[in-house]
Amino acid sequence: MVELITISNAAGNWYLNKVVINPKHIAVVAESREHNRLLKEGKIDLGFNQQIEFSKIQMAITSGFDELIAIGSPASIIEKLGRNSKQLLKG
């Protein structure tokens, strides 16, 4: 299990959340350009440094979640998951 910090927006207010997920349920980790842009424009008001990056994490259908927006670059999230680009695929 891996603990991530995510952000969410409800009724125009941004919130931080701590989630614990099974890394096997993650299908895709990608840069969240929209959230990175919103931060640079000052529209995500959580007191973050402007250098923070956000990643969009798409979950497998069986996980019960569609997607999460996590704090961290895709590379740092993948590193936290214990995966790397040289991982062998099982066939």
Side-chain angles (χ1 to χ4, degrees):
M1 301 301 270
V2 174
E3 184 178 282
L4 298 173
I5 305 296
T6 64
I7 62 167
S8 58
N9 187 331
N13 295 315
W14 290 95
Y15 298 94
L16 290 175
N17 306 293
K18 211 181 267 193
V19 296
V20 178
I21 58 175
N22 183 339
K24 293 179 182 178
H25 290 181
I26 295 175
V28 177
V29 178
E31 176 187 7
S32 179
R33 290 184 179 143
E34 176 186 357
H35 291 86
N36 290 334
R37 179 184 52 78
L38 290 172
L39 177 67
K40 302 249 184 300
E41 292 174 355
K43 294 181 180 173
I44 297 177
D45 187 24
L46 290 171
F48 290 137
N49 180 315
Q50 294 292 314
Q51 302 304 314
I52 293 289
E53 292 182 51
F54 296 105
S55 294
K56 185 181 295 187
I57 299 176
Q58 290 184 321
M59 304 297 289
I61 294 170
T62 57
S63 72
F65 291 99
D66 289 336
E67 70 179 31
L68 305 167
I69 304 301
I71 296 174
S73 68
S76 68
I77 300 291
I78 290 169
E79 183 179 321
K80 191 167 188 173
L81 297 174
R83 299 180 185 174
N84 63 40
S85 60
K86 296 179 184 178
Q87 187 175 26
L88 294 177
L89 299 175
K90 295 179 183 178

